[in-house]
Amino acid sequence: MTTTIALVTGANKGIGLATARQLGARGMTVLVGARDAARGREAADKLRAEGVDARFVPLEVTDAASVAAAAELVEREYGRLDVLVNNAGIIRADGSALPSETTLDTLREVYETNVFGVVAVTNALLPLLRRAPAARIVNVSSEVGSIAVMTDPQGALFALTSIPYPSSKTALNMVTAMYAKELRDTPIKVNAANPGYCATDLNHHSGFRTPEEGAEVSVHLATLPADAPSGLLWGYQMDAGGGYGVLPW
């Protein structure tokens, strides 16, 4: 099989759908991971109508049976995986989102998808990623997960004070770094993507960047050459006046 196989979680809308579209435009076979079957099939149908080789894969990242079934499908149908984009994510907050108003139930809910789900999916698919000539793992993170960015009094995000979503992305950044360390002697590269503040359902479309612009970051990291780095947070640099580059942890 010479076709590059890419799986994108949460690919039925927003940045995930845009990522699937852009990877498909590069000639990849795109597996559209989505927990909602109707929306997942609709997204795959839309991509196929645009000329993308797309297939819906049922995938609820917080459900162990669903993750296992998705991995079994990929192994049975393709035998390997070249690109994994862990894009699925949620935002939740309590009250006015202050740390003192945060409930553990909300914290657990966010971590189940944004952190635990990434580990579950990555571990289930890692044997298939190892079979690829040079696989790429992209974890969609955020600049709000950067402790350096969030604690800079002169930064654009200093006023944001919340625990669940930002801390889940901080944890995801560490998850990314640890996988990169484990896989440092392999051709697999693992990086975290910062799409920037994109207008999606996640933020009620309040972002100033488009989903397509956000997807550019994941696609870049999914198609890195052999001499590119691994274990970085890379993407849109709000405090640097825009453009793309490495962000501080």
Side-chain angles (χ1 to χ4, degrees), residues 45-75:
D45 288 345
K46 180 185 300 183
L47 291 172
R48 282 194 297 271
E50 297 170 3
V52 174
D53 182 13
R55 175 176 180 176
F56 165 59
V57 174
L59 181 52
E60 167 54 81
V61 302
T62 65
D63 182 88
S66 176
V67 171
E72 290 168 5
L73 184 153
V74 176
E75 179 167 23

Side-chain angles (χ1 to χ4, degrees), residues 126 130 133-136 179-180 182-190:
L126 192 53
R130 289 183 181 274
R136 301 289 180 261
Y179 275 112
E182 177 182 355
L183 299 168
R184 64 185 179 276
D185 295 325
T186 77
I188 302 174
K189 297 188 184 299
V190 190

Side-chain angles (χ1 to χ4, degrees), residues 16 26 34 51 54 61 74 84 105 107-108 124 129 145 163 182 192 215 217 225 240 243 249:
R26 289 172 174 251
V61 302
V74 176
L84 171 61
D105 285 344
L107 199 60
R108 291 189 184 100
L129 290 158
I163 290 180
E182 177 182 355
V217 178
W249 292 124

